[in-house]
Amino acid sequence: KVPMVPDITPVIVLQGSSYEMGYQYARQLVEIFGKWIMEVKTGYTKDTEELQKWIDIHQEHTPELIDFCNGWADASADLGINTSLQDILSMWVGQKQPATYYLNSKGGIPELPPLACSAIAAWNKASKDGQLYAAATGDHDMSYQVTIAAYPDDGIPFIYTSFEATGSLPTVGPNWFFGHPGMNRKGLCYVHHGGGPKMLEPIDKWGYGIRRGASVLHNLRYCSTIDQALNK
């Protein structure tokens, strides 16, 4: 049996502490897709030493993500799913050493898929009412993605759609939960495709850092303006 990909993006509604929202996320994910979507990640962790390096930097800068994953792990256990906390953290932060070269080189990042992704954003004089509007598509077939509508106890309510509900993307592999546009109640908006070509940073600046998904969710939750997000 092959699970069918839905022709819409299901909405997962979260509320409470980071731990509670992680618990709710896992429960609703199973309600929508079935246990297989988490069971497929069981045993996902291969390099615990490298994983811990990524966890440490996220614990320092985005500790709410670690709490979220703890809630997810406890929900998995309650549902009789053997996906470990390390497996769940691996989906979010990765377990490989940072790349040291560009494409097709030893130690380099994976080869990118064919050109895709379209996006549009309009505001001020470019929109009829002056308000900000943003939309994007990956120009690829739907995956098992979800839209998160979050109402955290601490922070700003926000909405965000990752490319895939367990942090991967067909033909690409792990992408650590980055995805389509997001927006919070203060009006701060994130558009993934609006940043220009990738790999603009010089290689000597590459290394351990905050994954895109963790960074976006943190900024949407705790920042009201672009300046705040840039200085986070």
Side-chain angles (χ1 to χ4, degrees):
K1 296 181 179 180
V2 178
M4 298 296 292
V5 178
D7 57 3
I8 61 170
T9 299
V11 176
I12 286 182
V13 180
L14 310 177
Q15 185 174 16
S17 66
S18 297
Y19 175 90
E20 290 169 333
M21 291 193 295
Y23 192 96
Q24 295 161 16
Y25 183 87
R27 299 281 305 202
Q28 292 180 58
L29 204 61
V30 169
E31 290 175 7
I32 293 168
F33 297 112
K35 288 185 177 182
W36 71 267
I37 197 164
M38 289 199 291
E39 290 173 338
V40 74
K41 296 293 185 177
T42 299
Y44 182 62
T45 305
K46 304 301 181 185
D47 190 335
T48 56
E49 183 177 346
E50 198 64 34
L51 170 63
Q52 190 60 51
K53 295 177 183 179
W54 290 101
I55 292 173
D56 288 344
I57 195 166
H58 285 79
Q59 179 67 66
E60 179 181 356
H61 296 283
T62 59
E64 72 280 358
L65 174 62
I66 310 302
D67 292 339
F68 184 94
C69 290
N70 274 298
W72 182 334
D74 284 351
S76 297
D78 290 346
L79 290 166
I81 300 169
N82 294 323
T83 308
S84 69
L85 174 60
Q86 288 182 324
D87 291 334
I88 294 163
L89 285 163
S90 293
M91 300 180 211
W92 282 94
V93 305
Q95 54 182 305
K96 292 184 178 181
Q97 294 182 359
T100 54
Y101 295 91
Y102 284 107
L103 301 176
N104 299 321
S105 299
K106 183 179 179 181
I109 63 175
E111 185 173 357
L112 298 179
L115 290 177
C117 301
S118 301
I120 183 171
W123 65 97
N124 202 356
K125 294 181 180 180
S127 65
K128 187 174 181 179
D129 57 6
Q131 297 298 307
L132 170 64
Y133 296 89
T137 173
D139 295 326
H140 54 71
D141 292 336
M142 290 275 286
S143 60
Y144 299 99
Q145 62 186 39
V146 294
T147 291
I148 297 172
Y151 300 86
D153 283 348
D154 67 310
I156 305 165
F158 64 87
I159 187 168
Y160 174 73
T161 302
S162 62
F163 285 135
E164 210 264 359
T166 56
S168 298
L169 191 64
T171 74
V172 176
N175 66 6
W176 311 288
F177 288 89
F178 73 81
H180 295 290
M183 182 182 289
N184 69 20
R185 183 172 283 175
K186 296 294 185 179
L188 182 66
C189 182
Y190 163 78
V191 182
H192 163 61
H193 307 104
K198 306 298 185 291
M199 301 178 293
L200 294 178
E201 302 88 350
I203 292 178
D204 62 359
K205 300 296 184 183
W206 291 10
Y208 298 95
I210 306 302
R211 294 296 190 187
R212 179 77 61 85
S215 174
V216 171
L217 291 175
H218 184 82
N219 283 320
L220 289 178
R221 181 170 173 177
Y222 294 111
C223 298
S224 301
T225 66
I226 293 174
D227 288 338
Q228 287 180 358
L230 287 172
N231 293 321
K232 260 293 186 182

